[in-house]
């Protein structure tokens, strides 16, 4: 039991330390004296100080020591730029960088990849040289999507990983607590500071029964999202358990854990079981599986562990679901979907079906999807709607190329895109509809906010299992229910599609495909990292100004945002992804998607100094030039969605002081604090309605103290001033970030 087992096949000196983890747990157990959930066991076994750490679910801030860090290319640039300012010569904890977000889908995998490599050369060179210099594993463009690579190579039961992408929880499919964070959090761990997380509550999801027929693992999370809504998981880890768990493949569990991001959960975990063992064995890590078996009792919940909330799902009764449009928590079972399409006037024709993404591109997903396409082909039918496939990794692509699924998709009329995010993040040169034209698309992805996939706000984007994507693509209509509706074959005879079938793991093993990994060189002394001062894609960061110690009086509301304000509204992806390493340039997208309460329009706000209506970034720049700080007023779950810290860096860079909302999404709130902003919430959410876009406010920053409210004085344009009490979640250390101007400034000061 005291073996030396490597974390993965790529790194020689990083081991799994189950012994230490269970010693830590013993300490915590003797203190808490109660049964623990699996989520707690993973977290507490990674405590920096198991003896002294305060532990109260939902209250204490835990200081943790993660096993690994992972970054994708769109967030790694800013993370590495920040790490560089810490002045260390290598990362203190195992770290990898993955090139997946910057590849635009246009004409198909190979050519799209080649084009991306040339367009993004400067960024890729920067990342590859920085990885070589700082001892970071680098996965080149074409290797696949970060979360798929992590599952195939780096995740292990009981481990703790942080990743600069909100779908990092995908690793929960292998029993890991894999948590999405902003780049600045990743930098802490890269620099060997403990990582801080408010001790999460634990939501139990008990699975009974068994999946069958058209119901896929994805339907579990589609249903859970429908129950819990986009903010229902905030501050909590979702822990699946119960006999139904053993009926789901490891990659199927990963799909559920992945999309847990959509309910705001800190992460989702499944207990270690034989399905995980089989997956580990199939991905060259049988030794880890055996090691985990030796510690199996620590890799699941204790008998009698209690959950803060419990949901029960009987998989035998679960129907396939389709969620959307515009939000991932609007779930409709397939039996009611056609009716919902009619009632809501959603465009009936299915224009495009898209499978793949980090959520659903396992061998099992591809095999099941191909079985449906094959059934259609056998009846002389092809895809009626356009159809795309994004394999999650080079290994998946090579394996389905060898085993025939890829050929089936092509015969079926599909376009196979690069092993990358592609249309999931708006990297999609879509040509079949015009901007503004209402239309429907259906994907096996996880997120479907307005405009996300193609930049068209009129596109109704729905998410579902790959199985239903393929089935509805054959019919080309949102009214088709493959469980009950017949199709006509080439001779006009009616037939029912067969329910999907497919192997969970490839019988002939995985084919690794092309070599896409760059290990850090042994001799790293000679490596230099270049950032050209003239670059429009990369910019060295300048430290933010510290707080001047005073209250801030009579400042404008830049925008009072109404309704959903996701990170896609605050810092849009798609065409803006290219500026992720250049703070000033990317700031030109700040809040351009947020809806202004004053006129119900996006990107049109009043500059109070001139009375002119202008774009949000332009007004903010004008205020900044004039030395005027500003605040944003926001609604519920502000900053929902992505981990991108640009959504916090941009307001800071353009002179913002505070973001005042009804509530925040976890990652975004932390990102704001890290950059020296004040994320504040209305003590009484109803006060949101009392604020008008033209009001001025005072923020009494000098009141900032742990657990104490802080006052905002509102000066209406006409009328009497009034006070609004605000809350915050700053702890002692985080208050220093605000005072010093940022977490990074604080790190520099104490170094
Ligand atoms: C996303 O799915 O929205 C992204 C793009 O993967 C983001 C990360 C980013 O914005 O770079 C995420 O989910 O964190
Ligand atoms: Fe990429 Fe989409 Fe997954 Fe985000 S959700 S990592 S954009 S595939």
């Amino acid at each position: 039991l005291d073996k030396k087992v490597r974390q993965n096949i790529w790194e020689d000196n990083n081991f799994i330390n189950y012994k230490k983890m269970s010693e830590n747990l013993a300490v915590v157990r003797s203190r808490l004296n109660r049964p623990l959930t699996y989520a707690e066991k993973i977290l507490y076994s990674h405590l920096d100080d198991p003896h002294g750490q305060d532990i109260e679910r939902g209250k204490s801030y835990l200081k943790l020591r993660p096993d690994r860090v992972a970054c994708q290319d769109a967030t790694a640039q800013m993370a590495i730029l920040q790490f560089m300012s810490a002045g260390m010569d290598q990362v203190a904890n195992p770290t990898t960088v993955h090139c997946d977000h910057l590849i635009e889908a246009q004409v198909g995998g190979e050519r799209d990849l080649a084009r991306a490599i040339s367009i993004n050369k400067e960024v890729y060179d920067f990342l590859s040289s920085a990885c070589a210099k700082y001892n970071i594993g680098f996965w080149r463009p074409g290797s696949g999507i970060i979360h798929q690579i992590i599952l195939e190579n780096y995740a292990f039961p009981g481990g703790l990983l942080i990743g600069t992408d909100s779908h990092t929880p995908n690793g929960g499919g292998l029993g890991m607590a894999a948590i999405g964070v902003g780049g600045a959090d990743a930098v802490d761990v890269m620099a060997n500071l403990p990582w801080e997380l408010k001790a999460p509550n634990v939501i139990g999801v008990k699975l009974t029964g068994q999946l069958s027929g058209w119901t896929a693992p994805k339907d579990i999370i589609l249903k859970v999202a429908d129950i819990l809504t986009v903010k229902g998981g905030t501050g909590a880890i979702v822990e699946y358990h119960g006999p139904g768990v053993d009926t789901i493949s490891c990659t199927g569990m990963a799909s559920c854990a992945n999309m847990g991001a959509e309910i705001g959960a800190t992460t989702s975990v499944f207990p270690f079981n034989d399905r995980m063992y089989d997956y580990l064995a199939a991905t060259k890590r049988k030794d880890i599986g055996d090691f985990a078996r030796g510690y199996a009792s620590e890799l699941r919940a204790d008998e009698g562990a209690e959950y803060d909330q419990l949901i029960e799902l009987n998989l035998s009764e679960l129907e396939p679901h389709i969620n959307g449009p515009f939000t991932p928590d609007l779930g409709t079972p397939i039996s009611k979907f056609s009716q919902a399409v009619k009632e809501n006037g959603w465009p009936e024709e299915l224009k495009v079906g898209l499978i793949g993404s980090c959520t659903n591109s396992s061998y099992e997903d591809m095999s099941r999807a191909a079985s449906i396409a094959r059934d259609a082909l056998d009846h002389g039918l092809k895809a009626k709607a356009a159809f795309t496939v994004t394999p999650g990794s080079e290994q998946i692509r090579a394996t389905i190329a060898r085993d025939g699924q890829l050929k089936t998709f092509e015969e079926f009329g599909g376009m196979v895109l690069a092993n990358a995010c592609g249309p999931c993040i708006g990297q999609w040169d879509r040509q079949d509809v015009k901007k503004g034209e209402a239309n429907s698309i259906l994907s096996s992805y996880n997120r479907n906010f307005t405009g996300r996939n193609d930049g068209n706000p009129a596109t109704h984007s729905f998410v579902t299992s790959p199985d239903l994507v393929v089935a509805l693509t054959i019919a080309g209509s949102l009214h088709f229910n493959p469980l009950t509706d017949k199709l006509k074959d080439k001779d006009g005879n009616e037939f029912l599609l067969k329910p999907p079938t497919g192997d969970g793991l490839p019988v002939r093993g995985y084919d690794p495909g092309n070599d896409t990994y760059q290990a850090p060189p042994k001799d790293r002394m000679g490596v230099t990292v270049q950032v050209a001062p003239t670059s429009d894609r990369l910019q060295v960061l300048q430290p933010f100004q510290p707080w001047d110690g005073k209250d801030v009086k009579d400042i404008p509301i830049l925008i009072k945002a109404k309704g959903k304000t996701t990170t896609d509204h605050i810092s849009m992806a798609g065409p803006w992804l290219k500026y992720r390493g250049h703070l000033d340039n990317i700031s030109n997208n700040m809040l351009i998607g947020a809806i202004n309460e004053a006129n119900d329009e996006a990107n049109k706000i009043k500059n109070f100094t001139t009375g002119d209506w202008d774009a949000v970034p332009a007004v903010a720049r004008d205020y900044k030039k004039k030395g005027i700080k500003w605040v944003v007023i926001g609604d519920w779950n502000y900053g929902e969605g992505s981990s991108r810290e640009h959504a916090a860096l941009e307001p800071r860079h353009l002179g913002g002081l505070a973001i005042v909302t009804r509530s925040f999404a976890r990652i975004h709130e932390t990102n704001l604090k890290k950059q020296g902003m004040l994320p504040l919430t209305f003590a009484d959410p109803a006060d949101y309605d009392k604020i008008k876009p033209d009001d001025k406010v005072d923020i009494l920053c000098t009141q900032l103290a742990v657990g104490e409210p802080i006052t905002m004085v509102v000066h209406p344009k006409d009328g009497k001033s009034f006070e609004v009490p605000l809350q915050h979640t700053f702890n002692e250390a985080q208050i220093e970030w605000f005072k010093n101007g940022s977490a990074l400034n604080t790190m520099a000061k104490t170094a």
Side-chain angles (χ1 to χ4, degrees), residues 648-713:
L649 278 158
E650 294 174 27
R652 180 70 169 110
H653 175 62
L654 296 186
L657 171 74
I659 312 286
V660 182
T661 69
R662 289 172 132 146
S663 71
F664 286 99
R666 171 188 61 93
I667 304 178
H668 186 61
E669 181 181 18
T670 308
N671 286 346
L672 286 166
K673 289 179 185 169
K674 286 242 148 157
Q675 302 305 342
M677 297 278 304
L678 291 173
L680 306 169
T681 52
F682 294 104
D684 176 3
D687 284 346
Y688 169 90
D689 295 317
K690 294 193 193 146
I691 319 277
K692 298 283 163 277
D694 279 342
D695 297 350
K696 296 272 182 35
V697 300
D698 306 339
I699 303 280
L700 306 189
C701 308
T702 51
Q703 295 176 343
L704 184 62
V706 178
E708 300 294 328
I710 152 166
T711 310
M712 174 164 81
V713 187

Side-chain angles (χ1 to χ4, degrees), residues 72 100-101 145-147 165-167 258 262 356-359 390 420-426 445-447 452 644:
Q72 41 89 336
D100 54 1
H101 279 64
I145 306 171
I146 175 169
H147 312 303
D165 188 279
S166 66
H167 293 103
N258 176 300
E262 267 51 65
S357 90
C358 64
T359 331
T390 40
C421 300
C424 180
I425 191 54
Y445 307 166
N446 42 30
R447 211 165 258 171
R452 176 173 172 94
R644 60 190 77 138

Side-chain angles (χ1 to χ4, degrees), residues 558-590:
L558 182 72
I559 179 171
K560 181 178 177 197
K562 181 175 143 181
K564 224 179 188 17
T565 309
T566 71
T567 44
D568 284 359
H569 298 95
I570 306 171
S571 175
M572 193 192 175
W576 292 91
L577 283 173
K578 61 172 175 292
Y579 297 122
R580 285 292 184 84
H582 196 295
L583 180 54
D584 194 54
N585 283 347
I586 199 161
S587 294
N588 290 330
N589 79 356
M590 187 187 71

Side-chain angles (χ1 to χ4, degrees), residues 338-497:
S338 173
Q339 191 191 333
V341 170
K342 264 189 225 123
E343 281 170 10
N344 294 293
W346 296 330
E348 308 186 349
E349 182 193 350
L350 177 62
K351 284 279 187 191
V352 192
L354 310 100
I355 66 167
S357 90
C358 64
T359 331
N360 274 115
S361 54
S362 64
Y363 188 78
E364 179 179 52
D365 290 331
M366 294 295 153
S367 304
R368 284 171 61 107
S371 78
I372 305 167
R374 176 53 59 200
D375 191 14
L377 289 167
D378 288 346
H379 287 91
L381 299 183
K382 288 190 175 193
K384 197 159 185 185
F387 179 60
T388 71
V389 183
T390 40
S393 69
E394 169 59 12
Q395 171 160 289
I396 292 289
R397 188 207 56 78
T399 309
I400 63 173
R402 182 197 64 197
D403 292 351
Q405 295 90 338
L406 207 72
K407 203 164 146 272
T408 303
F409 292 140
E410 282 170 347
E411 254 180 77
F412 180 63
M415 178 179 335
V416 179
L417 301 171
N419 314 319
C421 300
C424 180
I425 191 54
Q427 292 281 32
W428 188 17
D429 183 22
R430 189 176 176 195
Q431 300 289 357
D432 64 315
V433 297
K434 285 201 212 57
K435 256 238 170 92
E437 186 182 328
N439 73 100
S440 291
I441 63 174
L442 185 62
S443 77
S444 71
Y445 307 166
N446 42 30
R447 211 165 258 171
N448 56 355
F449 302 145
T450 310
R452 176 173 172 94
N453 305 110
D454 58 3
N456 178 3
T459 293
H460 292 54
S461 170
F462 298 86
V463 292
T464 186
S465 68
D467 305 341
L468 283 200
V469 174
V470 176
L472 273 70
T473 298
I474 302 170
S477 161
L478 293 193
H479 288 301
F480 180 64
N481 174 0
L483 285 79
T484 53
D485 300 349
K486 298 207 166 102
L487 291 165
K488 282 209 173 79
D489 73 8
K490 61 172 188 319
D491 306 317
N493 299 320
E494 292 199 324
F495 74 101
L496 206 58
L497 282 170

